mmCIF file of all heavy atoms in Angstrom:
data_model
loop_
_atom_site.group_PDB
_atom_site.id
_atom_site.type_symbol
_atom_site.label_atom_id
_atom_site.label_comp_id
_atom_site.label_asym_id
_atom_site.label_seq_id
_atom_site.Cartn_x
_atom_site.Cartn_y
_atom_site.Cartn_z
ATOM 1 N N VAL D 1 9.211 -22.250 -6.466
ATOM 2 C CA VAL D 1 9.604 -23.037 -7.709
ATOM 3 C C VAL D 1 10.850 -22.447 -8.324
ATOM 4 O O VAL D 1 10.908 -21.269 -8.661
ATOM 5 C CB VAL D 1 8.531 -23.153 -8.754
ATOM 6 C CG1 VAL D 1 8.949 -24.024 -9.892
ATOM 7 C CG2 VAL D 1 7.263 -23.726 -8.089
ATOM 8 N N GLY D 2 11.998 -23.163 -8.352
ATOM 9 C CA GLY D 2 13.272 -22.645 -8.726
ATOM 10 C C GLY D 2 13.274 -22.229 -10.195
ATOM 11 O O GLY D 2 12.387 -22.499 -11.019
ATOM 12 N N PRO D 3 14.248 -21.356 -10.488
ATOM 13 C CA PRO D 3 14.406 -20.749 -11.826
ATOM 14 C C PRO D 3 14.465 -21.876 -12.801
ATOM 15 O O PRO D 3 15.075 -22.967 -12.732
ATOM 16 C CB PRO D 3 15.766 -20.013 -11.824
ATOM 17 C CG PRO D 3 15.925 -19.768 -10.403
ATOM 18 C CD PRO D 3 15.352 -20.924 -9.614
ATOM 19 N N ASP D 4 13.804 -21.662 -14.075
ATOM 20 C CA ASP D 4 13.822 -22.644 -15.168
ATOM 21 C C ASP D 4 13.850 -21.790 -16.477
ATOM 22 O O ASP D 4 12.712 -21.321 -16.744
ATOM 23 C CB ASP D 4 12.397 -23.494 -14.984
ATOM 24 C CG ASP D 4 12.305 -24.537 -16.008
ATOM 25 O OD1 ASP D 4 13.231 -24.819 -16.711
ATOM 26 O OD2 ASP D 4 11.181 -25.041 -16.273
ATOM 27 N N GLY D 5 14.868 -22.062 -17.204
ATOM 28 C CA GLY D 5 14.954 -21.342 -18.493
ATOM 29 C C GLY D 5 14.906 -19.912 -18.318
ATOM 30 O O GLY D 5 15.747 -19.217 -17.661
ATOM 31 N N ASP D 6 13.914 -19.272 -18.961
ATOM 32 C CA ASP D 6 13.743 -17.889 -18.886
ATOM 33 C C ASP D 6 12.955 -17.415 -17.652
ATOM 34 O O ASP D 6 12.818 -16.104 -17.547
ATOM 35 C CB ASP D 6 13.024 -17.330 -20.146
ATOM 36 C CG ASP D 6 13.907 -17.479 -21.424
ATOM 37 O OD1 ASP D 6 15.177 -17.547 -21.220
ATOM 38 O OD2 ASP D 6 13.280 -17.641 -22.486
ATOM 39 N N HIS D 7 12.477 -18.390 -16.836
ATOM 40 C CA HIS D 7 11.601 -18.002 -15.782
ATOM 41 C C HIS D 7 12.495 -17.846 -14.350
ATOM 42 O O HIS D 7 13.141 -18.724 -14.064
ATOM 43 C CB HIS D 7 10.544 -19.176 -15.451
ATOM 44 C CG HIS D 7 9.620 -19.309 -16.613
ATOM 45 N ND1 HIS D 7 8.609 -18.340 -16.916
ATOM 46 C CD2 HIS D 7 9.462 -20.210 -17.578
ATOM 47 C CE1 HIS D 7 7.871 -18.729 -17.959
ATOM 48 N NE2 HIS D 7 8.430 -19.892 -18.361
ATOM 49 N N PRO D 8 12.367 -16.810 -13.678
ATOM 50 C CA PRO D 8 12.962 -16.589 -12.440
ATOM 51 C C PRO D 8 12.256 -17.443 -11.393
ATOM 52 O O PRO D 8 11.188 -18.091 -11.806
ATOM 53 C CB PRO D 8 12.878 -15.102 -12.185
ATOM 54 C CG PRO D 8 11.598 -14.650 -12.914
ATOM 55 C CD PRO D 8 11.662 -15.472 -14.132
ATOM 56 N N LEU D 9 12.740 -17.431 -10.144
ATOM 57 C CA LEU D 9 12.095 -18.163 -9.220
ATOM 58 C C LEU D 9 10.673 -17.715 -8.989
ATOM 59 O O LEU D 9 10.428 -16.470 -8.951
ATOM 60 C CB LEU D 9 12.708 -18.153 -7.774
ATOM 61 C CG LEU D 9 12.235 -18.936 -6.691
ATOM 62 C CD1 LEU D 9 13.368 -19.755 -5.921
ATOM 63 C CD2 LEU D 9 11.328 -18.018 -5.813
ATOM 64 N N ARG D 10 9.668 -18.545 -9.024
ATOM 65 C CA ARG D 10 8.256 -18.293 -8.750
ATOM 66 C C ARG D 10 7.752 -18.715 -7.460
ATOM 67 O O ARG D 10 8.283 -19.657 -6.944
ATOM 68 C CB ARG D 10 7.449 -18.921 -9.972
ATOM 69 C CG ARG D 10 7.546 -18.258 -11.266
ATOM 70 C CD ARG D 10 7.204 -19.229 -12.329
ATOM 71 N NE ARG D 10 8.147 -20.384 -12.372
ATOM 72 C CZ ARG D 10 7.885 -21.520 -13.077
ATOM 73 N NH1 ARG D 10 6.684 -21.720 -13.766
ATOM 74 N NH2 ARG D 10 8.875 -22.445 -13.101
ATOM 75 N N VAL D 11 6.749 -17.971 -6.928
ATOM 76 C CA VAL D 11 6.192 -18.308 -5.567
ATOM 77 C C VAL D 11 4.679 -18.435 -5.702
ATOM 78 O O VAL D 11 3.927 -17.709 -6.362
ATOM 79 C CB VAL D 11 6.453 -17.066 -4.641
ATOM 80 C CG1 VAL D 11 5.815 -17.428 -3.226
ATOM 81 C CG2 VAL D 11 7.977 -16.804 -4.501
ATOM 82 N N TYR D 12 4.182 -19.606 -5.147
ATOM 83 C CA TYR D 12 2.779 -19.819 -5.123
ATOM 84 C C TYR D 12 2.353 -20.059 -3.685
ATOM 85 O O TYR D 12 3.048 -20.269 -2.818
ATOM 86 C CB TYR D 12 2.552 -21.230 -5.920
ATOM 87 C CG TYR D 12 2.906 -21.282 -7.308
ATOM 88 C CD1 TYR D 12 4.258 -21.515 -7.736
ATOM 89 C CD2 TYR D 12 1.976 -21.004 -8.322
ATOM 90 C CE1 TYR D 12 4.596 -21.448 -8.980
ATOM 91 C CE2 TYR D 12 2.255 -20.956 -9.689
ATOM 92 C CZ TYR D 12 3.505 -21.085 -10.098
ATOM 93 O OH TYR D 12 4.007 -21.191 -11.392
ATOM 94 N N TYR D 13 0.995 -19.691 -3.474
ATOM 95 C CA TYR D 13 0.422 -19.707 -2.073
ATOM 96 C C TYR D 13 -0.852 -20.497 -2.028
ATOM 97 O O TYR D 13 -1.658 -20.410 -2.948
ATOM 98 C CB TYR D 13 0.298 -18.309 -1.680
ATOM 99 C CG TYR D 13 -0.488 -18.122 -0.377
ATOM 100 C CD1 TYR D 13 0.147 -18.303 0.828
ATOM 101 C CD2 TYR D 13 -1.795 -17.711 -0.373
ATOM 102 C CE1 TYR D 13 -0.628 -18.193 1.998
ATOM 103 C CE2 TYR D 13 -2.536 -17.603 0.735
ATOM 104 C CZ TYR D 13 -1.839 -17.827 1.985
ATOM 105 O OH TYR D 13 -2.585 -17.659 3.175
ATOM 106 N N ASN D 14 -0.975 -21.211 -1.014
ATOM 107 C CA ASN D 14 -2.451 -21.803 -0.645
ATOM 108 C C ASN D 14 -2.455 -21.834 0.933
ATOM 109 O O ASN D 14 -1.456 -21.815 1.557
ATOM 110 C CB ASN D 14 -2.793 -23.022 -1.369
ATOM 111 C CG ASN D 14 -1.735 -24.204 -0.943
ATOM 112 O OD1 ASN D 14 -0.612 -24.190 -1.241
ATOM 113 N ND2 ASN D 14 -2.313 -25.143 -0.145
ATOM 114 N N SER D 15 -3.807 -21.821 1.458
ATOM 115 C CA SER D 15 -3.953 -21.869 2.868
ATOM 116 C C SER D 15 -5.191 -22.646 3.151
ATOM 117 O O SER D 15 -6.078 -22.739 2.272
ATOM 118 C CB SER D 15 -3.993 -20.583 3.451
ATOM 119 O OG SER D 15 -4.926 -19.732 2.984
ATOM 120 N N ARG D 16 -5.280 -23.116 4.369
ATOM 121 C CA ARG D 16 -6.590 -23.784 4.819
ATOM 122 C C ARG D 16 -6.652 -23.818 6.427
ATOM 123 O O ARG D 16 -5.616 -23.882 7.085
ATOM 124 C CB ARG D 16 -6.506 -25.281 4.282
ATOM 125 C CG ARG D 16 -7.726 -26.005 4.465
ATOM 126 C CD ARG D 16 -7.759 -27.419 4.016
ATOM 127 N NE ARG D 16 -9.005 -28.053 4.121
ATOM 128 C CZ ARG D 16 -9.976 -28.185 3.128
ATOM 129 N NH1 ARG D 16 -9.603 -27.639 2.050
ATOM 130 N NH2 ARG D 16 -11.015 -28.827 3.312
ATOM 131 N N PHE D 17 -7.881 -23.549 6.767
ATOM 132 C CA PHE D 17 -8.216 -23.774 8.217
ATOM 133 C C PHE D 17 -8.279 -25.193 8.534
ATOM 134 O O PHE D 17 -8.756 -25.984 7.658
ATOM 135 C CB PHE D 17 -9.492 -23.057 8.612
ATOM 136 C CG PHE D 17 -9.435 -21.604 8.884
ATOM 137 C CD1 PHE D 17 -9.559 -20.644 7.880
ATOM 138 C CD2 PHE D 17 -9.181 -21.162 10.157
ATOM 139 C CE1 PHE D 17 -9.449 -19.360 7.945
ATOM 140 C CE2 PHE D 17 -9.066 -19.755 10.371
ATOM 141 C CZ PHE D 17 -9.295 -18.904 9.249
ATOM 142 N N SER D 18 -7.699 -25.557 9.605
ATOM 143 C CA SER D 18 -7.813 -27.053 9.958
ATOM 144 C C SER D 18 -8.722 -27.438 11.101
ATOM 145 O O SER D 18 -8.700 -28.398 11.648
ATOM 146 C CB SER D 18 -6.376 -27.565 10.365
ATOM 147 O OG SER D 18 -5.849 -26.973 11.475
ATOM 148 N N THR D 19 -9.552 -26.467 11.240
ATOM 149 C CA THR D 19 -10.541 -26.418 12.382
ATOM 150 C C THR D 19 -12.002 -26.154 11.952
ATOM 151 O O THR D 19 -12.805 -25.677 12.776
ATOM 152 C CB THR D 19 -10.108 -25.417 13.409
ATOM 153 O OG1 THR D 19 -9.994 -24.143 12.806
ATOM 154 C CG2 THR D 19 -8.943 -25.772 14.206
ATOM 155 N N ASP D 20 -12.338 -26.657 10.796
ATOM 156 C CA ASP D 20 -13.679 -26.458 10.165
ATOM 157 C C ASP D 20 -14.824 -26.957 11.142
ATOM 158 O O ASP D 20 -15.797 -26.307 11.387
ATOM 159 C CB ASP D 20 -13.870 -26.903 8.817
ATOM 160 C CG ASP D 20 -12.990 -26.122 7.776
ATOM 161 O OD1 ASP D 20 -12.555 -25.019 8.115
ATOM 162 O OD2 ASP D 20 -12.870 -26.576 6.705
ATOM 163 N N LEU D 21 -14.663 -28.169 11.652
ATOM 164 C CA LEU D 21 -15.634 -28.917 12.328
ATOM 165 C C LEU D 21 -15.743 -28.180 13.832
ATOM 166 O O LEU D 21 -16.833 -27.988 14.292
ATOM 167 C CB LEU D 21 -15.385 -30.282 12.562
ATOM 168 C CG LEU D 21 -16.443 -31.081 13.232
ATOM 169 C CD1 LEU D 21 -17.880 -30.808 12.662
ATOM 170 C CD2 LEU D 21 -16.112 -32.588 13.365
ATOM 171 N N LEU D 22 -14.669 -27.756 14.395
ATOM 172 C CA LEU D 22 -14.676 -26.979 15.676
ATOM 173 C C LEU D 22 -15.327 -25.699 15.479
ATOM 174 O O LEU D 22 -16.211 -25.410 16.433
ATOM 175 C CB LEU D 22 -13.188 -26.797 16.130
ATOM 176 C CG LEU D 22 -13.104 -26.039 17.376
ATOM 177 C CD1 LEU D 22 -13.732 -26.616 18.538
ATOM 178 C CD2 LEU D 22 -11.585 -25.770 17.744
ATOM 179 N N ILE D 23 -15.115 -24.997 14.456
ATOM 180 C CA ILE D 23 -15.826 -23.654 14.239
ATOM 181 C C ILE D 23 -17.331 -24.022 14.033
ATOM 182 O O ILE D 23 -18.109 -23.162 14.570
ATOM 183 C CB ILE D 23 -15.277 -22.958 13.024
ATOM 184 C CG1 ILE D 23 -13.780 -22.571 13.217
ATOM 185 C CG2 ILE D 23 -15.985 -21.747 12.592
ATOM 186 C CD1 ILE D 23 -12.999 -22.082 12.058
ATOM 187 N N GLU D 24 -17.733 -25.058 13.358
ATOM 188 C CA GLU D 24 -19.001 -25.348 13.020
ATOM 189 C C GLU D 24 -19.802 -25.710 14.408
ATOM 190 O O GLU D 24 -20.979 -25.347 14.595
ATOM 191 C CB GLU D 24 -19.261 -26.411 11.950
ATOM 192 C CG GLU D 24 -20.627 -26.877 11.722
ATOM 193 C CD GLU D 24 -21.394 -25.746 11.039
ATOM 194 O OE1 GLU D 24 -20.924 -24.656 10.774
ATOM 195 O OE2 GLU D 24 -22.707 -25.885 10.954
ATOM 196 N N GLN D 25 -19.195 -26.554 15.154
ATOM 197 C CA GLN D 25 -19.674 -26.939 16.477
ATOM 198 C C GLN D 25 -20.006 -25.659 17.356
ATOM 199 O O GLN D 25 -21.020 -25.557 18.070
ATOM 200 C CB GLN D 25 -18.679 -27.887 17.225
ATOM 201 C CG GLN D 25 -18.679 -29.181 16.488
ATOM 202 C CD GLN D 25 -17.546 -30.143 17.154
ATOM 203 O OE1 GLN D 25 -16.636 -29.632 17.890
ATOM 204 N NE2 GLN D 25 -17.598 -31.448 16.873
ATOM 205 N N THR D 26 -19.013 -24.746 17.298
ATOM 206 C CA THR D 26 -19.155 -23.536 18.059
ATOM 207 C C THR D 26 -20.361 -22.753 17.562
ATOM 208 O O THR D 26 -21.085 -22.093 18.227
ATOM 209 C CB THR D 26 -17.872 -22.774 18.089
ATOM 210 O OG1 THR D 26 -16.796 -23.497 18.545
ATOM 211 C CG2 THR D 26 -18.054 -21.363 18.893
ATOM 212 N N ARG D 27 -20.449 -22.599 16.276
ATOM 213 C CA ARG D 27 -21.426 -21.880 15.629
ATOM 214 C C ARG D 27 -22.917 -22.392 15.994
ATOM 215 O O ARG D 27 -23.753 -21.692 16.267
ATOM 216 C CB ARG D 27 -21.352 -21.867 14.122
ATOM 217 C CG ARG D 27 -22.348 -20.982 13.342
ATOM 218 C CD ARG D 27 -22.100 -21.153 11.847
ATOM 219 N NE ARG D 27 -22.730 -22.423 11.383
ATOM 220 C CZ ARG D 27 -24.062 -22.692 11.235
ATOM 221 N NH1 ARG D 27 -24.979 -21.787 11.361
ATOM 222 N NH2 ARG D 27 -24.411 -23.862 10.644
ATOM 223 N N LYS D 28 -23.006 -23.732 16.099
ATOM 224 C CA LYS D 28 -24.325 -24.314 16.332
ATOM 225 C C LYS D 28 -24.626 -24.359 17.806
ATOM 226 O O LYS D 28 -25.788 -24.097 18.199
ATOM 227 C CB LYS D 28 -24.377 -25.828 15.805
ATOM 228 C CG LYS D 28 -24.478 -25.940 14.349
ATOM 229 C CD LYS D 28 -24.592 -27.352 13.952
ATOM 230 C CE LYS D 28 -24.674 -27.466 12.407
ATOM 231 N NZ LYS D 28 -24.836 -28.910 12.029
#
């Protein structure tokens, strides 16, 4: 997120597995 007023550039993070069902099928 670009600089805004007194705030320098900020960085946010999120992630996700896209194989939940495949992992569950393997587990079972």
Side-chain angles (χ1 to χ4, degrees):
V1 179
D4 180 15
D6 296 332
H7 298 286
L9 185 140
R10 289 158 290 165
V11 181
Y12 297 85
Y13 170 77
N14 63 291
S15 61
R16 189 182 184 94
F17 280 91
S18 63
T19 49
D20 289 349
L21 185 55
L22 176 61
I23 294 172
E24 180 63 11
Q25 290 172 344
T26 304
R27 187 185 70 83
K28 289 184 175 181

